[in-house]
């Protein structure tokens, strides 16, 4: 299940917060290489939910960063954010080339199965999504994060702790940390 920025059962016993920037090549590696295995093992079994949070690192220009994050969050209002994220990372352009334009975002949205484009477009203009991006940025700063991807892991409803996996392409450290957390 998917709801807003959350992938998985909202009542899953464990939560992984994933702070990312859609133009970050390392976030792309994580999302396309390690994440599918984590989703298969933990999210689909109902033991883990993953919350995507916005953190500007690789994107040059706060306006572009807000526009792309709001586009993803607007897809989330239709429970399609994780589709949007996967498509963005799959189609990610070369860093520092200013490839993220309105037509690029529209093209991504058109690839999301079942996304109501008119609703997606209108949802992007509301202040709530910009506020959520700002809140995510503040949460990243409070956690002391300086790069993406960054993670916090913990029991759902409890205090999440900074999690440094050491790799973004292999699922093993994530699996070990989740296993340990669930069996405490």
């Amino acid at each position: 299940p998917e709801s807003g920025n959350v992938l998985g059962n909202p009542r899953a016993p464990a939560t992984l917060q994933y702070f990312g920037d859609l133009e970050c090549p390392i976030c792309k590696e994580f999302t396309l290489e390690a994440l599918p295995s984590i989703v298969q093992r933990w999210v689909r079994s109902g033991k883990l939910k993953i919350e995507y949070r916005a953190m500007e690192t690789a994107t040059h220009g706060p306006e572009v960063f807000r526009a792309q994050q709001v586009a993803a969050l607007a897809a989330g209002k239709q429970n399609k954010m994780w589709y949007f994220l996967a498509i963005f990372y799959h189609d990610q352009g070369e860093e520092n080339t200013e490839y993220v334009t309105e037509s690029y975002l529209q093209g991504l949205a058109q690839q999301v199965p079942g996304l109501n484009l008119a609703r997606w477009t209108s949802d992007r203009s509301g202040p709530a999504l910009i506020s959520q991006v700002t809140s995510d940025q503040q949460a990243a700063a409070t956690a002391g994060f300086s790069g993406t991807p960054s993670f916090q892991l913990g029991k759902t409803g409890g205090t999440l702790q900074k999690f440094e996996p050491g790799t973004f392409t292999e699922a093993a450290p994530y699996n070990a940390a989740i296993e340990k957390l669930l069996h405490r």
Side-chain angles (χ1 to χ4, degrees), residues 164-181:
E164 296 177 352
T167 179
F168 302 112
T169 58
E170 303 292 327
Y174 304 85
N175 292 338
I178 296 163
E179 185 80 41
K180 182 178 175 186
L181 175 70

Side-chain angles (χ1 to χ4, degrees), residues 79-144:
N79 300 326
K80 305 265 184 206
M81 179 178 188
W82 288 86
Y83 282 105
F84 188 91
L85 294 176
I87 292 167
F88 196 115
Y89 283 126
H90 188 267
D91 292 351
Q92 187 184 76
E94 193 67 34
E95 209 171 356
N96 302 319
T97 60
E98 300 180 15
Y99 64 92
V100 177
T101 62
E102 182 57 29
S103 63
Y104 176 82
L105 295 173
Q106 291 280 342
L108 295 178
Q110 289 170 7
Q111 296 176 60
V112 176
L115 186 70
N116 178 321
L117 292 173
R119 185 171 152 215
W120 174 79
T121 301
S122 69
D123 285 343
R124 291 173 59 202
S125 62
L129 300 182
I130 291 172
S131 180
Q132 186 172 345
V133 172
T134 302
S135 172
D136 286 355
Q137 295 262 75
Q138 291 167 342
T142 299

Side-chain angles (χ1 to χ4, degrees), residues 5 17-20 51-56 131-147 150-152 160-162:
N5 68 329
Q17 284 186 338
Y18 165 19
F19 288 82
E51 298 175 356
Y52 180 85
R53 309 287 298 267
M55 181 179 167
E56 184 179 354
S131 180
Q132 186 172 345
V133 172
T134 302
S135 172
D136 286 355
Q137 295 262 75
Q138 291 167 342
T142 299
F145 294 141
S146 59
S150 288
F151 304 95
Q152 292 191 114
L160 303 180
Q161 302 295 322
K162 187 184 263 188

Side-chain angles (χ1 to χ4, degrees), residues 3-7 15-24 27-28 30-31 35 49-57 59 65 68-70 72-73 81-82 84-86 88-89 132-133 136 148-151:
S3 178
N5 68 329
V6 177
L7 182 65
T15 298
L16 177 69
Q17 284 186 338
Y18 165 19
F19 288 82
D21 182 326
L22 292 170
E23 291 189 45
C24 167
C27 295
K28 174 183 178 172
F30 168 73
T31 302
L35 185 61
K49 70 176 180 176
I50 304 174
E51 298 175 356
Y52 180 85
R53 309 287 298 267
M55 181 179 167
E56 184 179 354
T57 56
T59 302
F65 177 76
Q68 66 197 22
Q69 296 295 332
V70 164
L73 290 168
M81 179 178 188
W82 288 86
F84 188 91
L85 294 176
F88 196 115
Y89 283 126
Q132 186 172 345
V133 172
D136 286 355
T148 52
S150 288
F151 304 95

